[in-house]
Amino acid sequence: MKYYFGIPYEFDRSKILQIIREGVVADKAAYVCVADGVVLATCQVDSEYRNILSGSMLNVCDSSYVPIYIRCIYGHKYISTSGEWLFLELLGWESMKMAFIGSTNSILTSLKQRLISQSDICNTLFAELPFCKVEEFDYSSIAQMLNRFNADIIWVSLGAPKQERFIANLAKYLTRGVVIAVGAVFGYQSGNQKLRRAPRPIITFKLEFLYRLLQDPEKQWGRCSLILRTLPKMLLHEFNRKSGIDMDTQ
């Protein structure tokens, strides 16, 4: 992985899949972070949270803007990897035992029905999590359930930045399995009409954040505000890092 903006990213999709497969085969617990704009912004203001990403098995870039920033600063050309792409790609892995936890019971039920009808996946577990603070989860009990199921891949949907803290804590109690936090992907893939992704043209022009802001202004405005507050300093730090002025973390 390569460090940009304080995060070790892997951009090569074939290597991403290889690392995850090796993590499953390794027969030990690990976690994967899907780093969108909120994750990136939170890393700029929370060193403990940044350490969570540094301690992950893998971080993929789920921000369409980060490759633009990197290209402008370094000239390196990368593409982002969305949590939804990763989710759909791994669903095609036969014989993998997958668990889906988080979100709401209605979304999990719809997701289960849709996945069973549209794919060949088997050996699945669906479990809702209680609505509570990240430090209040009973990680031992959740892990016991997943360990009994012997999950290969554990998908988590709690929303950033909560879900990254959750999967880092949960991995400490698991005997094996790769835990991957995918945010709103459960909703997108459940068929819920209120949780659809933006139309393709909006995604193409990198304006999905506006679409989400209009859908849920109360939730998304706080996220957008955090990104806007941290962006100037973050870009300046990376420009300085390139120039060798500030190489403190890398």
Side-chain angles (χ1 to χ4, degrees), residues 61-127:
C61 178
D62 187 14
S63 167
S64 59
Y65 287 96
V66 167
I68 296 175
Y69 303 152
I70 294 173
R71 185 172 182 180
C72 290
I73 297 172
Y74 295 99
H76 302 164
K77 297 180 181 179
Y78 297 118
I79 60 170
S80 59
T81 297
S82 70
E84 189 169 31
W85 181 90
L86 189 61
F87 184 80
L88 295 174
E89 191 73 18
L90 268 59
L91 285 183
W93 288 6
E94 297 180 1
S95 76
M96 290 288 181
K97 298 184 73 174
M98 297 193 182
F100 304 81
I101 63 175
S103 194
T104 65
N105 186 57
S106 61
I107 288 178
L108 286 173
T109 299
S110 298
L111 179 65
K112 180 178 181 179
Q113 293 173 345
R114 192 170 190 188
L115 292 183
I116 290 175
S117 66
Q118 295 185 0
S119 65
D120 297 325
I121 65 169
C122 58
N123 296 322
T124 55
L125 171 70
F126 293 81

